């Protein structure tokens, strides 16, 4: 086993354990902090895949913005220190069913995928890949990119509308 | 000669040869070298804090017409050591009902988030922790961990003041991250690279000349990121005791303290790398050791300004702080970013010479500054008129 494989297994294990803790932690803030660890694990996986940009973007967006917003929202909702409500609602069996179904479907699809046995091609220079990504975002994928920004703006306008005091 | 001109690389190469000579695998040697480098960087950065704490206290005292530390060693330069020993021997008090793991993890994260930035600082052309080609983004991402540590500290302390401090910390840091990132993008556009060392290499003319306004915006918003005066609302003593660090004692408090001082110096070093030419200077490319010297001297000059700003400014109110960010810094940073991008693209299309490029960017910055000042003047005139209008203290209630 090469050191890289060892690191991958360790990181994957930590990520999975943290992900389980997210849904089973009793305190909501703890769940949010476990989520941060999970997202970190994913960032490390990106690094192992030689995708430094995605790793940094993952930390920046998911931890720097989304996770902090989660924690903030959790703090503002109910009794901050003693929030130990029930973890499941009545639909837990449906969620479990969908999760198992999704995992099974992916497993079936991927088990017949030939990519696992083929040799990996050499990655291009990462700086070049990054430049290509930037060009792709304003070239062939311009419409989805702009649609995503419009969606975000709409969400922001909606948030402002909801929170604006009615005159 | 190689040793004198570039001691760090020389010793590194020697050690690598030695380890390879012992028959270690190249991968293992690489790992050991990286480990030694990371350890050294961390130790140097933490050791530097001992000096910067003394420097800051001395300057603080001078400006307030006091002597400052002057008993331990010449000019009191060793004052930090007794303080360190004192803080090591202090008792740790964990408040009742605190969330133990989160409570103890927060100070560690606070310091490590700052030290992580040192990994990408280019001290000299050959002396860089690691060449990350998205270095600028990396710096911003690592800053998020610092914010996280403050929330964790405030929440886990089981103290209302600490929680209030954490709320303020998030509001401040998340908001000021926006103009900081936008102003960071200006050097990225000018140098066409997100790697810090490449940005330094491209600065044949310092970016403070090409983008003085971006430098100012970055400077202001990074002061808010550090959370010191005039932006020290997250630990405002007169309002919320000590904010997120209210319940911390002993070395755990010391970690936050060290993290703040180190962050202040780190930001100065970043400013140097991004806007003041980093290690650039006469003969720096031939003799990297000169580059290190230039870098440190420049960083300390910026740090001096940071300290003077901290000492001479009163604290802002929270509404002033957020208004200043969202209504002033963010729009101007956005505008500057767009206009810089347009001009840079246009100049590269016509193959402009360096002189034309510098003059154009400088003029653009000057015009944006003048426009901003004009808008501010009109706004403050309107504000003054509004405040000057006679207002009845109490209006009679309508029946």
């Amino acid at each position: 086993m090469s050191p890289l494989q060892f690191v991958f297994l360790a990181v994957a294990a930590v990520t999975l354990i943290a992900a389980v803790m997210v849904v089973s932690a009793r305190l909501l803030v703890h769940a949010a902090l476990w989520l941060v660890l999970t997202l970190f694990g994913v960032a490390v996986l990106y690094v192992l895949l030689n995708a430094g940009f995605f790793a940094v973007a993952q930390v920046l967006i998911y931890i720097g913005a989304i996770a902090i917003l989660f924690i903030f929202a959790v703090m503002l909702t109910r009794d901050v220190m003693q929030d130990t409500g029930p973890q499941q609602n009545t639909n837990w069996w449906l969620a479990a069913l969908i999760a198992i179904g999704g995992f099974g479907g992916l497993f079936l699809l991927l088990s017949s995928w030939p990519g696992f046995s083929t040799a990996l091609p050499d990655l291009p220079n990462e700086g070049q890949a990054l430049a290509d990504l930037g060009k792709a975002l304003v070239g062939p994928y311009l419409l989805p990119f702009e649609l995503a920004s419009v969606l975000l703006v709409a969400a922001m306008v909606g948030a402002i509308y909801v929170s604006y005091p009615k005159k | 000669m190689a040793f004198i001109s570039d001691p760090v690389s020389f010793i590194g190469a020697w050690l690598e040869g030695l380890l390879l000579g012992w028959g270690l695998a190249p991968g293992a040697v690489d790992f050991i070298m990286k480990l030694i480098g990371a350890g050294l960087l961390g130790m140097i950065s933490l050791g530097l804090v001992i000096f910067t704490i003394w420097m800051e206290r001395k300057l603080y005292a001078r400006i307030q017409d006091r002597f400052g530390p002057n008993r331990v060693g010449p000019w009191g330069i060793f004052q930090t050591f007794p303080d360190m020993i004192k803080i090591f021997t202090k008792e740790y008090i964990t408040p009742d009902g605190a969330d133990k793991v989160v409570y103890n993890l927060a100070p560690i994260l606070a310091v490590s988030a700052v030290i992580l930035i040192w990994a990408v600082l280019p001290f000299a052309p050959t002396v860089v922790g690691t060449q990350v080609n998205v270095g600028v983004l990396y710096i911003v991402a690592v800053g998020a961990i610092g914010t996280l540590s403050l929330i964790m500290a405030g929440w886990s302390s089981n103290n209302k003041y600490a929680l209030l401090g954490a709320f303020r910390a998030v509001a401040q840091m998340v908001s000021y991250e926006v103009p900081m990132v936008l102003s960071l993008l200006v050097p990225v556009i000018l140098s066409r690279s997100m790697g810090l060392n490449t940005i330094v290499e491209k600065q044949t003319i310092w970016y403070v000349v090409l983008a003085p306004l971006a430098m100012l915006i970055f400077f202001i918003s990074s002061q808010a990121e550090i959370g010191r005066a005039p932006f020290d609302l997250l630990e405002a003593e007169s309002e919320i005791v000590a904010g997120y660090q209210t319940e911390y004692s002993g070395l755990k408090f010391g970690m936050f303290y060290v993290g703040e001082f180190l962050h202040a110096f780190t930001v100065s070093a970043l400013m140097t790398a991004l806007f003041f030419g980093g290690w650039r200077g006469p003969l720096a490319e031939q003799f990297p050791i000169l580059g290190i010297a230039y870098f440190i001297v420049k960083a300390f000059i910026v740090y001096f300004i940071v300290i003077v700003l901290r000492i001479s400014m009163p604290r802002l109110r929270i509404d002033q702080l957020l208004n200043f960010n969202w209504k002033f810094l963010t729009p101007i940073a956005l505008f500057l970013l767009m206009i810089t991008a347009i001009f840079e693209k246009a100049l590269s299309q016509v193959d402009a010479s360096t002189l034309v490029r510098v003059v154009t960017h400088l003029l653009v910055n000057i015009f944006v500054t003048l426009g901003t000042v004009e808008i501010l003047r009109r706004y403050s005139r309107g504000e003054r008129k509004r405040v000057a209008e006679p207002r009845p203290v109490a209006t009679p209630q309508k029946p």
Side-chain angles (χ1 to χ4, degrees):
Chain A
M1 196 163 68
S2 75
L4 206 64
Q5 279 170 325
F6 177 75
V7 173
F8 169 77
L9 285 178
V11 171
V14 169
T15 312
L16 284 179
I17 293 169
V20 171
M21 290 305 287
V22 172
V23 288
S24 61
R26 295 182 61 81
L27 271 164
L28 264 180
V29 176
H30 279 182
L33 290 175
W34 281 113
L35 182 66
V36 170
L37 188 60
T38 314
L39 296 170
F40 244 120
V42 177
V44 177
L45 291 183
Y46 279 134
V47 173
L48 293 179
L49 289 171
N50 253 1
F53 175 74
F54 287 107
V56 173
Q58 167 90 5
V59 174
L60 181 63
I61 295 165
Y62 281 93
I63 297 175
I66 294 180
I68 285 182
L69 208 67
F70 273 5
I71 298 175
F72 208 53
V74 168
M75 282 178 172
L76 287 176
T77 46
R78 277 178 282 171
D79 204 355
V80 183
M81 292 300 292
Q82 295 94 19
D83 190 4
T84 49
Q87 290 303 303
Q88 288 95 21
N89 62 12
T90 48
N91 283 334
W92 67 269
W93 58 272
L94 199 63
L97 208 68
I98 291 172
I100 291 170
F103 181 77
L106 277 178
F107 189 79
L108 277 179
L109 272 178
L110 285 178
S111 59
S112 59
W113 184 52
F116 288 118
S117 50
T118 51
L120 293 171
D122 274 335
L123 286 169
N125 177 20
E126 209 209 326
Q128 185 54 43
L130 207 58
D132 287 346
L133 175 75
K135 288 203 179 98
L137 278 181
V138 290
Y141 299 103
L142 183 62
L143 193 64
F145 182 63
E146 289 298 326
L147 275 180
S149 0
V150 170
L151 184 71
L152 286 177
V153 171
M156 210 150 75
V157 171
I160 292 171
Y161 178 76
V162 167
S163 63
Y164 206 72
K166 300 271 184 303
K167 289 213 174 111
Chain B
M1 194 59 207
F3 177 74
I4 296 168
S5 78
D6 191 5
V8 181
S9 305
F10 185 79
I11 293 171
W14 173 75
L15 200 61
E16 203 170 341
L18 188 72
L19 287 172
L20 282 173
W22 287 350
L24 285 167
V29 171
D30 199 37
F31 178 73
I32 293 171
M33 295 298 293
K34 284 261 153 66
L35 208 64
I36 294 173
L40 268 180
L41 259 185
M43 302 240 279
I44 290 170
S45 57
L46 286 175
L48 196 73
V49 175
I50 296 172
F51 177 67
T52 58
I53 287 177
W54 169 79
M55 177 181 164
E56 185 144 353
R57 287 181 62 184
K58 200 74 182 170
L59 260 173
Y60 221 133
R62 283 293 162 171
I63 289 181
Q64 293 176 345
D65 204 11
R66 294 185 282 123
F67 282 119
N70 62 351
R71 286 283 175 259
V72 192
W75 313 291
I77 197 165
F78 299 127
Q79 179 63 49
T80 317
F81 290 99
D83 289 350
M84 254 163 61
I85 294 164
K86 190 193 83 170
I87 216 165
F88 277 133
T89 57
K90 275 191 160 184
E91 186 191 357
Y92 298 127
I93 300 165
T94 308
D96 204 22
D99 200 308
K100 292 238 169 45
V101 178
V102 182
Y103 178 82
N104 290 325
L105 200 59
I108 300 172
L109 276 184
V111 178
S112 52
V114 183
I115 297 181
L116 277 174
I117 299 179
W118 281 61
V120 294
L121 282 183
F123 296 98
T126 53
V127 186
V128 193
T130 172
Q131 298 267 20
V132 183
N133 56 10
V134 287
V136 170
L137 263 187
Y138 170 86
I139 291 162
V140 182
V142 162
I145 301 171
T147 316
L148 193 68
S149 76
L150 299 192
I151 306 184
M152 285 165 68
W155 175 76
S156 64
S157 294
N158 191 22
N159 181 319
K160 293 284 184 282
Y161 291 116
L163 196 60
L164 276 175
F167 282 156
R168 285 185 175 194
V170 179
Q172 178 175 327
M173 294 201 159
V174 171
S175 336
Y176 274 85
E177 216 162 64
V178 177
M180 195 176 91
V181 174
L182 290 175
S183 57
L184 269 177
L185 284 178
V186 171
V188 170
I189 286 176
L190 292 176
S191 67
R192 312 275 158 97
S193 167
M194 284 204 276
L196 275 176
N197 211 5
T198 322
I199 291 181
V200 174
E201 269 163 23
K202 288 275 176 72
Q203 290 185 56
T204 40
I205 290 158
W206 295 0
Y207 285 158
V208 68
V209 182
L210 272 81
L213 202 54
M215 189 272 292
L216 265 181
I217 296 170
F218 179 75
F219 184 72
I220 295 171
S221 47
S222 59
Q223 293 312 303
E225 286 282 310
I226 308 171
R228 322 171 103 190
F231 300 104
D232 59 345
L233 284 132
L234 46 160
E235 43 188 281
E237 297 90 347
S238 51
E239 299 158 25
I240 48 171
V241 192
Y244 59 91
Q245 54 194 7
T246 304
E247 292 287 357
Y248 283 89
S249 57
L251 200 59
K252 291 178 196 167
F253 165 74
M255 296 283 263
F256 283 117
Y257 191 74
V258 164
E260 188 196 308
F261 274 80
L262 188 57
H263 201 174
F265 184 79
T266 309
V267 160
S268 318
L270 267 181
M271 287 268 300
T272 310
L274 287 167
F275 293 103
F276 294 97
W279 43 259
R280 290 197 84 93
L283 290 176
E285 307 222 5
Q286 288 84 14
F287 304 99
I289 187 146
L290 275 178
I292 300 180
Y294 292 139
F295 186 84
I296 291 176
V297 168
K298 286 177 192 172
F300 266 104
I301 292 171
V302 178
Y303 184 54
F304 180 82
I305 300 167
V306 170
I307 299 175
V308 172
L309 189 85
R310 181 198 176 194
I311 299 165
S312 46
M313 290 291 210
R315 185 182 299 137
L316 289 169
R317 256 186 359 241
I318 187 87
D319 61 322
Q320 290 172 333
L321 181 99
L322 292 177
N323 280 347
F324 179 62
N325 177 58
W326 289 112
K327 293 184 181 169
F328 177 66
L329 278 185
T330 306
I332 193 178
L334 262 175
F335 185 67
L336 187 71
L337 177 66
M338 281 193 280
I339 208 160
T340 310
I342 291 167
F343 271 91
E344 181 64 26
K345 187 73 192 167
L347 286 171
S348 73
Q349 288 292 332
V350 297
D351 273 328
S353 67
T354 317
L355 184 70
V356 174
R357 189 163 161 255
V358 170
V359 170
T360 317
H361 278 297
L362 191 59
L363 281 179
V364 164
N365 269 273
I366 289 172
F367 278 123
V368 173
T369 314
L370 287 179
T372 319
V373 169
E374 179 59 27
I375 292 170
L376 277 182
R377 207 164 58 87
R378 289 199 183 154
Y379 172 75
S380 63
R381 194 189 287 159
E383 239 350 58
R384 250 176 285 150
K385 206 179 273 174
R386 192 180 63 79
V387 173
E389 268 173 16
R391 274 177 300 175
V393 177
T395 45
Q397 277 198 338
K398 292 193 180 88

